[in-house]
Amino acid sequence: INRTKNSLRETPASKAIAELADNPRWQSWVETGLELHDHLDGCIFCGGPITAERRSDLVAHFDESMRKLQEELGQLEQALKSVNRRSSEMIQEFPKSAEMFKSLRSDYTAKLGAAKKLQQELSASIDLLVSEVESKQRAMFSSSELKKEPKVEVADFTDVGKVIDKHNEMSKNLDDERRKAAKKVEVDRVHEIR
């Protein structure tokens, strides 16, 4: 959340062209057109000349600080979406309640339900942050704050993991008990044969 807050507050240090800074759609259009006009003296849209002064103003507007902020916002957006996707995948990867030992099912079902609810709250919080980042990307020269604090910062699935660990330990012990019983039956049969 702090990374998002910091990025929303940041503005490029470039020398802004007011008409572009005030109109994010125009700014995006002009930025896209810049590379199309790199080696041209005239505008391919209107046919008018591109003066050295205008080219210099545009270079100052879209300077390195602007590119760095755009890059940071893009990386932040991808990181947030990745966390959202991974938390959803983790919930899907948990075993089904029916796969747990009967003695653990009700506890597991309750803990899994709580984990799913927490993941949904985390997802809603991340969606809020992504929306804020996308708004910032459309208005780079405006410093902003989060409109609403996210409810959840982290999804902690430790409680579900503890029940799964208990199930795994019981499974291991069950396998050990089966091996011991099989060995005992084998030894008993050998004694019967003698």
Side-chain angles (χ1 to χ4, degrees):
I1 291 180
N2 285 335
R3 180 179 172 196
T4 302
K5 286 180 178 180
N6 292 337
S7 293
L8 293 177
R9 288 183 192 121
E10 192 173 333
T11 57
S14 62
K15 182 180 172 198
I17 298 172
E19 60 198 8
L20 296 182
D22 294 342
N23 296 289
R25 286 182 59 208
W26 294 5
Q27 178 174 283
S28 176
W29 183 74
V30 170
E31 184 177 18
T32 301
L34 268 180
E35 73 178 62
L36 299 175
H37 293 82
D38 266 350
H39 304 291
L40 301 175
D41 294 326
C43 175
I44 58 176
F45 179 71
C46 71
I50 301 173
T51 65
E53 180 183 349
R54 183 61 171 174
R55 194 176 300 275
S56 175
D57 290 347
L58 290 170
V59 167
H61 180 87
F62 295 106
D63 76 350
E64 188 61 27
S65 66
M66 175 85 147
R67 283 194 251 316
K68 283 182 179 179
L69 182 55
Q70 286 173 326
E71 186 177 307
E72 166 61 18
L73 292 169
Q75 290 172 354
L76 179 57
E77 180 182 10
Q78 291 310 308
L80 289 167
K81 288 178 177 180
S82 177
V83 167
N84 206 4
R85 189 172 39 255
R86 184 61 192 131
S87 71
S88 179
E89 290 169 356
M90 285 178 69
I91 289 292
Q92 300 303 316
E93 291 170 2
F94 284 132
K96 305 290 182 235
S97 293
E99 296 171 346
M100 303 301 284
F101 281 107
K102 194 172 189 175
S103 62
L104 299 175
R105 281 186 196 152
S106 67
D107 187 33
Y108 179 75
T109 300
K111 300 271 175 28
L112 183 59
K116 286 180 179 179
K117 184 175 188 253
L118 182 63
Q119 190 280 325
Q120 289 169 346
E121 290 173 355
L122 175 67
S123 182
S125 294
I126 289 174
D127 288 344
L128 173 74
L129 294 174
V130 167
S131 175
E132 295 275 357
V133 169
E134 289 171 343
S135 292
K136 174 67 176 182
Q137 288 171 320
R138 291 187 297 273
M140 297 287 288
F141 288 94
S142 299
S143 180
S144 61
E145 298 289 329
L146 285 178
K147 291 176 182 66
K148 183 178 174 186
E149 282 288 325
K151 277 185 170 181
V152 179
E153 291 185 36
V154 176
D156 184 358
F157 302 139
T158 305
D159 290 343
V160 176
K162 287 178 182 176
V163 179
I164 292 171
D165 289 345
K166 196 181 296 183
H167 170 84
N168 291 341
E169 187 63 32
M170 289 171 70
S171 293
K172 182 178 179 266
N173 291 342
L174 184 62
D175 288 343
D176 289 345
E177 292 300 319
R178 284 183 183 155
R179 278 192 284 282
K180 287 178 189 175
K183 185 70 172 171
K184 186 177 183 312
V185 168
E186 184 180 326
V187 169
D188 289 347
R189 284 191 182 158
V190 169
H191 285 296
E192 286 177 14
I193 294 174
R194 291 187 184 173

